[in-house]
Amino acid sequence: LYPVKLGVERVQLATTFDSAAQARLQLQFADVRLAEAKRLFAAGRVKDGVRGMAQYDTAVTQVNRSIAASAFDPNALNDLSRVLDDRAARADASLRELAGSLAAGGDAEAAAAVARTQSHVEQAWRGGKRDLQSREAASQQGGGHQTKPAGGQP
């Protein structure tokens, strides 16, 4: 059933035409991947939990790619910036707690995998935030029109 769930998510993304709505949907899917990984660890399925962390990392990377490749109006930029801050803070706290719990339970290898994911995801969130901030600044200077991604593509 899991492949069907992922397929449904892909269809949702493919049928969402607003860039900001797509980014929010991808953020939601990243949250789901993190929650799934945490449930797997809690159930004692450590290897699956580590794979879940990799899926979460991939989902966050996809969010950043989407942000970098999309044009947003100024309101969407502000909204996404706030949402990204919130998601980053919640994910950081959640990943720290999970890594600490795994380490306390004697699973140093899984704790290290979660810590690596946390570090990579933290860098990705910061990169996405920098991109949004630079585009917010450009939007303010340019009179509030949609801002293009760094590559110049709409």
Side-chain angles (χ1 to χ4, degrees):
L1 287 176
Y2 193 72
V4 172
K5 176 183 175 177
L6 295 177
V8 168
E9 290 177 0
R10 284 190 296 273
V11 168
Q12 284 179 287
L13 282 171
T15 58
T16 303
F17 300 106
D18 177 69
S19 297
Q22 268 191 342
R24 284 189 297 274
L25 195 54
Q26 288 174 320
L27 285 165
Q28 178 184 338
F29 296 154
D31 288 345
V32 169
R33 298 293 89 80
L34 178 56
E36 290 168 349
K38 288 172 59 178
R39 280 194 300 273
L40 290 166
F41 280 119
R45 296 173 54 191
V46 175
K47 287 183 181 180
D48 291 332
V50 169
R51 276 193 292 276
M53 283 287 111
Q55 290 174 333
Y56 171 64
D57 193 346
T58 299
V60 170
T61 299
Q62 185 57 42
V63 169
N64 278 353
R65 286 184 185 145
S66 178
I67 288 171
S70 301
F72 301 105
D73 67 56
N75 291 333
L77 285 169
N78 290 330
D79 178 56
L80 283 173
S81 184
R82 284 191 304 276
V83 170
L84 204 60
D85 284 342
D86 176 62
R87 290 306 201 309
R90 283 193 288 144
D92 186 60
S94 183
L95 291 169
R96 283 183 195 278
E97 180 183 343
L98 180 58
S101 174
L102 289 166
D107 198 336
E109 188 175 325
V114 172
R116 281 190 302 274
T117 297
Q118 178 189 9
S119 176
H120 186 257
V121 164
E122 185 178 315
Q123 290 174 9
W125 288 133
R126 280 197 309 256
K129 178 68 176 178
R130 275 192 308 270
D131 184 36
L132 288 172
Q133 286 173 333
S134 67
R135 289 160 69 187
E136 282 179 284
S139 172
Q140 290 170 357
Q141 291 173 356
H145 295 94
Q146 280 198 344
T147 57
K148 293 183 180 179
Q153 299 294 321

